[in-house]
Amino acid sequence: MSFEWRYVVRPDGSFWRTRNIDGSLDAMSDEQLQRMGSVLNRRGEDDERVSCSRCGREVVLHWKAPAPGVVMELCEDCDGGRPAAADLIRWKRDPARRAGDLPLLFEMWETETMEAMGYVFHPAGDDPRAQD
């Protein structure tokens, strides 16, 4: 079984992602996924206003991390000096952003943030316990 993420970006820059297991969502357009997200009431995890746990200012994005119980924050003041974070901040702030840029930018930020928290990303192919 294989899966990759399918990202849905709204005009305001908020987004959500869902697992695309074995390409099951490949035939769905972004508009269909947007409607599905609305029906399921799946808003982007960054929709509500959240204060940075480090400086108290509003975060650009907060997201549930792949590790249980961990929440990632993207704060312009606290994270602006980190390369992947700075790239995602620029994308979020740019009204002319391209949805196609989001998967790589988000995944680079997610990896950078998780590593800063002490987690290490191992692709399934690198894990000796992974099953083919």
Side-chain angles (χ1 to χ4, degrees):
M1 178 185 307
S2 68
F3 96 89
E4 55 188 44
W5 293 108
R6 180 80 189 265
Y7 289 79
V8 180
V9 182
R10 296 181 193 90
D12 68 357
S14 63
F15 62 91
W16 60 282
R17 70 180 183 175
T18 188
R19 290 178 176 91
N20 189 13
I21 298 171
D22 289 334
S24 60
L25 300 176
D26 286 352
M28 292 186 77
S29 69
D30 286 346
E31 292 77 22
Q32 290 171 311
L33 283 171
Q34 189 72 272
R35 283 194 300 275
M36 182 178 87
S38 296
V39 167
L40 297 174
N41 198 22
R42 285 189 69 173
R43 297 293 298 168
E45 296 185 49
D46 58 338
D47 285 344
E48 66 182 77
R49 304 239 184 257
V50 175
S51 297
C52 177
S53 63
R54 297 162 286 173
C55 72
R57 295 196 171 129
E58 185 178 330
V59 296
V60 175
L61 176 69
H62 73 102
W63 201 271
K64 291 177 187 145
V70 177
V71 175
M72 301 182 303
E73 298 173 332
L74 179 60
C75 174
E76 197 160 2
D77 292 329
C78 298
D79 302 317
R82 295 185 5 227
D87 288 344
L88 187 56
I89 290 167
R90 279 192 294 277
W91 182 89
K92 271 295 269 175
R93 300 282 189 224
D94 181 7
R97 68 189 148 261
R98 292 186 306 275
D101 295 339
L102 178 62
L104 178 62
L105 293 172
F106 182 84
E107 289 165 19
M108 289 174 60
W109 169 71
E110 183 177 52
T111 300
E112 179 182 75
T113 301
M114 293 301 293
E115 287 177 355
M117 295 175 154
Y119 294 89
V120 178
F121 174 70
H122 292 283
D126 293 349
D127 185 351
R129 298 169 296 165
Q131 305 225 344
D132 292 321

